[in-house]
Amino acid sequence: MTDSKYFTTTKKGEIFELKAELNSDKKEKKKEAVKKVIASMTVGKDVSALFPDVVNCMQTDNLELKKLVYLYLMNYAKSQPDMAIMAVNTFVKDCEDPNPLIRALAVRTMGCIRVDKITEYLCEPLRKCLKDEDPYVRKTAAVCVAKLHDINAQLVEDQGFLDTLKDLISDSNPMVVANAVAALSEIAESHPSSNLLDLNPQSINKLLTALNECTEWGQIFILDCLANYMPKDDREAQSICERVTPRLSHANSAVVLSAVKVLMKFMEMLSKDLDYYGTLLKKLAPPLVTLLSAEPELQYVALRNINLIVQKRPEILKHEMKVFFVKYNDPIYVKLEKLDIMIRLASQANIAQVLAELKEYATEVDVDFVRKAVRAIGRCAIKVEQSAERCVSTLLDLIQTKVNYVVQEAIVVIKDIFRKYPNKYESVIATLCENLDSLDEPEARAAMIWIVGEYAERIDNADELLESFLEGFHDESTQVQLQLLTAIVKLFLKKPTETQELVQQVLSLATQDSDNPDLRDRGYIYWRLLSTDPVAAKEVVLAEKPLISEETDLIEPTLLDELICYIGTLASVYHKPPSAFVEGVVHKSLPPRTVSSESVESPDTAPSGPAADQPSVIPTQGDLLGDLLNLDLGPPVSGPPMATVQMGAVDLLGGGLDILMGGGGSSGSFTPAPSTTAPTNVGAPLDSGLGDLFDLTGGVGTLSGSYVAPKTVWLPAMKAKGLEISGTFSRQVGSISMDLVLTNKALQVMSDFAIQFNRNSFGLAPAAPLQVHAPLAPNQSVEISLPLNTVGSVMKMDPLNNLQVAVKNNIDVFYFSTLYPLHILFVEDGKMERQMFLATWKDIPNENETQFQIKDCSLNADAVSSKLQGSNIFTIAKRNVEGQDMLYQSLKLTNGIWVLAELRIQPSNPSFTLSLKCRAPEVSQYIYQAYETILKN
């Protein structure tokens, strides 16, 4: 007979009977009674009255009975804390039992009894179990420490259990190591500030050794712990990757994903030129493909993770397109996810295959899936230019099917194709117009209206088509109303004589009869534009539109980097950072990419997207304009206009490097620490004695100040409605300033001046508002010195020293761009001590060294040295080799980047040789320009 009999009784007076049975002398009867008690407890009956009787049954050698009693105890200890103390003695005894299973059971139960009164009694037994000779007991005790920490963190710290846990990481048994890591990780998560998992190469080695021998969940704990480690260089990262790679062939998909997470994270540190990098890419593909043969739920989780991996490193799966083809019996959530990945992997090589598949999908029965497939065809056209023609003809074939929702989706994506490839496929407009009547979804109607308005001059009856939409104007959705308003205004500007009535009708509908503020505002803007200046209206409404980019739904790079650190967790399924759905999570980011042997132009180090090819003049950016209009409300919140020098002399060559490279993880998180005191000469060697006391020029900002170039015209009056701006940059005693001359060459008074900089490579920003104290009368000039700091937003510019500026006055907003000399960013504490200089010179790879010639310079070594010192380029040592003077120099930029230089001067030769070494080699060209400027002026 099975145990089900225990659940079938419902007689009254049962508790009384059970009490008698629990106190019976017969062991079998006792066991039966405890089973009945547990059965009643499981179905929800209150059997807490039997607590003392059940606790008495603990004194037994029978393991089964002990387990049942412990189960009861865990359930009722919270509601009966005073009674639970009775069990403490037995726990203490059981922790010394000769049977390791009983010792472990006692420790496990102790951890589950969440009663404050009891916890302090349990410390002694727990301490013994943590040092038990049996690994099974030790691994159970390790988890118990984490549970105890959750109940009473202070107690655990006072008793020194955390140190014991750290020692267990060096245990000989791999399961003990895994549980110790799991416990420490759990405690570290709830206390982010405590540096519990203080990993070093030795402990990492122990973890990797344990990795091969522990259970699958133990492996996951160890891999997750490895993922939080930051290797000191690319060689260590490579050796960890080599030892983690075998986990990719594990049967448990969670182990595979954890291994992928570690490899994706550490690959960031490997140079793309390495053979090993290519091997690793090849090894990553098969395990990911294997995950797709699991059941649908696992497939979905795998696909969500693969979606992130493909966005970060598409090259891993670029040859595996076929596994993402949809199967007829895939659930819809798997189909949609596969479709998304197919488009991400689409390229010129496989586009024919992909299009054939997508066309097939567009005739499926599942409406959601068909819509997504039609959209996918459009996305392929935008992504792979060579396929655009085939995509358009495929879409036209689909429109001919006359299936309503297919037609509507096709029209929406054709609108995007028109925007990507103007004046190429407009011949299909006639076909689109035939389907006008069948459109009933807002997005499709809006797309069709946009097409009619945009190409009104090619459509004979454009006015009739738009008029037909106007009849039910108030029943349309906002999206359609806004689109219709713009389209009719475009039509009026193209054919003013025929459409005057139509435009008046739509303007009055939008402004007088509508209660939607967006629609009203747009209506009034158009009305005023048309009534005051039709030429300007034409320039605004019919302006050239920017081409749309291929990938509009990519995850933002910094978020993507964070999500890569969470592969195999919920965050990677939601595609949201953990902080969005769990409280108190520490932000993680990828390690900075190693620059050692990589070419600077590698695609990973160049900023992605539009930042890479910055135009030379500021684009008319909405956000910039918005900020400019309220600039004069108060000064920007920023530090004092003092040199922002990072005083930490520890990470001498770190700091701003990743920002400048545009690569690495958290691209925006670097803010140089603003120094509120004048920077001191940190680099001066302490033991240099009296000699240095009188070397005043090496101290704080030399009084002569660095070289200041003459002012040049930055914004001619022709381009700024009569406002001419000329200026230069200077650095005096640690403060950077922009010295401007504003000249009014217009016929009206100018006032309300304000200035703003776009994001730039070194975070230059105004440290105070632009103050012009009196209105600027015609033909009058005013000189202003605007203090700058370097705590603004950072974005890599091309060229690196490009600064885009917007100036506003009572007339308009004007944009110009200028190049600032890099020597204004050389800080006063840029003198490196000799030992450090030598070590750093050797440490920077040789491929980062660049050589330049400075011609026509007739100064001697001492004059060169003192001239450069005025601009914070410090001479550390001087040698004479075979009649040549060699100057060894260092300088430091405001974002913490150090540059080391060797300058060769031959007394008879007016040409100097300059060798520069730097962790960010693309700075070198601009440093050379600074040298040339300073020495020749």
Side-chain angles (χ1 to χ4, degrees), residues 477-510:
S477 72
T478 308
Q479 187 182 7
V480 177
Q481 290 177 333
L482 286 166
Q483 205 53 268
L484 193 54
L485 171 61
T486 304
I488 290 176
V489 171
K490 281 181 187 170
L491 176 68
F492 170 69
L493 290 167
K494 289 174 183 179
K495 305 180 179 176
T497 46
E498 305 144 45
T499 52
Q500 206 155 353
E501 275 184 23
L502 191 60
V503 81
Q504 281 178 333
Q505 191 184 347
V506 77
L507 286 173
S508 85
L509 282 171

Side-chain angles (χ1 to χ4, degrees), residues 567-610:
I567 284 178
T569 66
L570 265 181
S572 67
V573 180
Y574 288 151
H575 287 189
K576 287 180 178 170
S579 52
F581 55 89
V582 184
E583 282 179 8
V585 182
V586 186
H587 165 80
K588 294 182 186 175
S589 61
L590 289 179
R593 173 164 283 294
T594 332
V595 196
S596 55
S597 58
E598 198 157 336
S599 64
V600 181
E601 280 77 32
S602 96
D604 273 17
T605 49
S608 56

Side-chain angles (χ1 to χ4, degrees), residues 492-493 526 528-543:
F492 170 69
L493 290 167
Y526 283 152
R528 285 175 190 151
L529 261 176
L530 292 170
S531 55
T532 51
D533 190 349
V535 181
K538 205 163 191 169
E539 280 177 14
V540 172
V541 182
L542 303 179

Side-chain angles (χ1 to χ4, degrees), residues 116 130 227 229 273 318 495 749 811 872 899 914:
D116 279 339
L130 280 167
Y229 175 63
D273 309 338
K318 66 179 176 196
K495 305 180 179 176
V749 172
I811 298 171
N872 295 336
V899 182
L914 174 68

